[in-house]
Every structure is written in C-alpha cells, then in structure tokens.
Amino acid sequence: QVQLVESGGGSVQAGGSLRLSCVASGSRFSINSMGWYRQAPGKQRELVATIIGYSTNYADSLKGRFTISRDNAKNTVYLQMNGLKPEDTAIYYCNAGVYYSSSLMNVWGKGTLVTVSS
C-alpha cells in the first residue's frame, strides 16, 4: 500500500509564499506521475500542477506564480507558491500515479490547508 503525506500548509498574507511538500511511502512501488490539486470552499477540486519525469503542466491561471518540482530519490513532490492571493485559499491535495503490484493506482493524500488573508 502507498500513502501520500502533505505538509507545509498554513496561513499567510497576500503576496506571501509557501512551499508544500508531499512524500510517498510504502513498499515495492514506483511513481509515474505526481501532482497537486486544490479544493476551495464550495468549489470542485481543480488541477494545480502535475509533473511526469521532467515534464510539467500547470493550470493556466497559476502559471508564473506556482512551481512544481520533484525529488525522485526522496519520492517527494514540492509546490512552491509565490505571490499568493486570497483566492488561493483551499485545501491542497497531493496526487500520484503509482505502480504497485503490477497495477497503476491513483493515490491521494489527505490534504493540507492553505489560507491567504488580504
């Protein structure tokens, strides 16, 4: 079984920065893709960014402010968030496409809350 644990969320004023981390743990697995999604109050979960190998993909509205990166040796994905805005307030979820027992599984973390005040 594979688990994802996020960290780094918190409260910040508008214009500030946060760095989220997500670590994958378990046994006998390999990671294909990793990414971040977010869900604001009363809204659907939406894509923030994904990374497969060295290829990254971002929500158009977040390009230039958010940067996703990955440390394969640590099974960790990061999300650097700069120039935060109140509308970035949401629970941020880590997601990974994981090969486990010859199957490709879609795994989610429990989320970390980011609150941006004006």
Side-chain angles (χ1 to χ4, degrees):
Q1 196 170 5
V2 180
Q3 291 184 327
L4 301 177
V5 178
E6 304 99 333
S7 61
S11 297
V12 64
Q13 289 191 327
S17 298
L18 284 174
R19 189 192 194 207
L20 305 183
S21 300
C22 171
V23 180
S25 63
S27 60
R28 297 191 299 273
F29 72 96
S30 63
I31 296 174
N32 179 35
S33 62
M34 297 191 83
W36 292 93
Y37 292 72
R38 70 184 184 183
Q39 187 166 15
K43 295 188 177 181
Q44 291 187 332
R45 192 173 297 188
E46 63 178 3
L47 169 73
V48 174
T50 61
I51 183 167
I52 302 176
Y54 295 103
S55 177
T56 58
N57 179 54
Y58 294 91
D60 288 341
S61 62
L62 302 177
K63 289 180 181 177
R65 292 196 298 123
F66 289 15
T67 303
I68 190 170
S69 61
R70 180 174 165 180
D71 186 332
N72 292 328
K74 296 181 178 180
N75 289 325
T76 300
V77 64
Y78 305 97
L79 184 69
Q80 178 67 44
M81 305 185 293
N82 299 327
L84 284 162
K85 305 175 181 180
E87 51 264 41
D88 294 319
T89 294
I91 298 175
Y92 284 71
Y93 295 92
C94 179
N95 174 263
V98 177
Y99 288 104
Y100 180 77
S101 296
S102 303
S103 298
L104 181 60
M105 300 172 57
N106 190 32
V107 183
W108 290 93
K110 293 182 178 181
T112 185
L113 177 64
V114 171
T115 303
V116 185
S117 58
S118 57

